[in-house]
Amino acid sequence: MVVEKIKTGIEGLDKVLKGGLRKNSSILITGAPGTGKTIMALQFVYYGAKNYNENGVFIATEEGLDELRGFAKNLGMDLGEMEKKGRIFLVEKPITMLRGGLESIKGLLDLIKKKNIKRVALDSLILFEYLYPKINNNIMEYRRQVLLFIQKIKEAGVTFMAVSERRITDLDRLEYDMIDFVFEGFIVLSRIRKGSYFERVVTVAKVRGQDHSLDVYPVTIGEGGLRVLDDQVPFSLVEQEQRRVESK
Ligand SMILES: Nc1ncnc2c1ncn2[C@@H]1O[C@H](COP(=O)(O)OP(=O)(O)OP(=O)(O)O)[C@@H](O)[C@H]1O
Ligand SMILES: [Mg+2]
């Protein structure tokens, strides 16, 4: 069977994924604070619409939309322009204002149908934790609700990227959460240290049903957004610089 793949819109990541993500799959991006999860999810939606003709929805729970538009602009993404064209939709679901269940799923499915949405990003799964708190052994309900959400999104023909937070992202000591198993793909953003240098890195831990690299790659965030340096090993840039300084 030929696997139909879509480009993520994140430079370098598609090479690590050996061509991109399986169309209609569900991917979890996890990592410690500030590792680039939100930026990665935003790029998935923004460049999906801009470069690959796939309309998208971005659901934000913790950042205000204006704040998000500002951050994105600094990274070269004009969200407002794509919103005006009706190609992307930013949806705010502030956790502080949540009441009742996820009544918006129907609204989201309507939007997907009406606007021919092909990509949805949810930043972050915390939304479900607030709606279905993991108390009184309710952990299975939380998992069930996430699964139901993924199922509905998939039935609608959408590729889904969700963000989750994690305290320990040391790649050798990574503790898996039961929700990790619900998603078909699992990408970890982390920081590693060498002496006094820290570097951002990424690794693709799994994507069911497709081949991908298992290696750890450096990541940069700056002009042009988040890039995966798929042709480098971690700290190679630092080492090159050290060699340059030492040879002077
Ligand atoms: N314009 C920029 N130029 C360079 N680096 C930037 C820029 N904007 C953001 N960053 C870097 O990206 C990081 C934030 O990325 P992002 O918001 O995607 O992280 P996150 O993993 O979603 O964090 P959190 O868990 O707190 O939501 C910042 O800490 C900063 O280091
Ligand atoms: Mg974030």
Side-chain angles (χ1 to χ4, degrees), residues 4 34 90 101 105 111 118-119 128 131 146 175:
E4 198 182 342
L90 306 185
I105 178 82
L111 185 69
K118 295 290 175 206
R119 299 183 182 209
F128 282 90
L131 289 171
V146 175
E175 285 179 15

Side-chain angles (χ1 to χ4, degrees), residues 68-114:
L68 215 52
R69 289 184 187 104
F71 289 155
K73 201 149 212 171
N74 289 337
L75 293 163
M77 290 182 273
D78 191 346
L79 301 181
E81 185 203 346
M82 295 307 278
E83 287 179 279
K84 267 188 228 126
K85 288 184 179 163
R87 310 287 308 283
I88 66 172
F89 300 84
L90 306 185
V91 178
E92 203 170 5
K93 272 266 143 213
I95 280 160
T96 47
M97 287 166 63
L98 282 182
R99 256 175 276 121
L102 197 67
E103 77 293 335
S104 59
I105 178 82
K106 196 184 167 297
L108 178 63
L109 293 173
D110 287 346
L111 185 69
I112 287 171
K113 219 164 157 188
K114 229 172 36 221

Side-chain angles (χ1 to χ4, degrees), residues 115-162:
K115 303 292 179 185
N116 192 26
I117 302 295
K118 295 290 175 206
R119 299 183 182 209
V120 171
L122 170 63
D123 184 15
S124 72
L125 279 183
I126 282 275
L127 179 67
F128 282 90
E129 297 195 25
Y130 275 90
L131 289 171
Y132 308 100
K134 296 182 205 168
I135 45 169
N136 302 331
N137 282 332
N138 201 18
I139 197 153
M140 296 321 279
E141 185 56 15
Y142 162 68
R143 183 184 169 127
R144 198 176 77 89
Q145 291 293 340
V146 175
L147 253 171
L148 276 173
F149 187 84
I150 294 175
Q151 243 170 40
K152 291 244 154 59
I153 290 269
K154 281 175 77 89
E155 278 166 21
V158 162
T159 311
F160 178 48
M161 186 178 273

Side-chain angles (χ1 to χ4, degrees), residues 32-39 58 62-63 68 123-124 163 165:
T35 46
K37 302 181 296 293
T38 296
I39 296 173
F58 186 93
E62 279 169 18
E63 273 150 307
L68 215 52
D123 184 15
S124 72
V163 167
E165 279 124 35

Side-chain angles (χ1 to χ4, degrees), residues 55-68:
N55 294 354
V57 172
F58 186 93
I59 307 166
T61 59
E62 279 169 18
E63 273 150 307
L65 299 187
D66 281 336
E67 200 180 23
L68 215 52

Side-chain angles (χ1 to χ4, degrees), residues 192-194 197-199 218 233-240:
I192 55 174
R193 185 175 72 89
K194 186 173 189 180
Y197 291 101
F198 274 95
E199 188 165 82
V233 294
F235 290 113
S236 56
L237 294 177
V238 172
E239 282 161 9
Q240 275 169 31

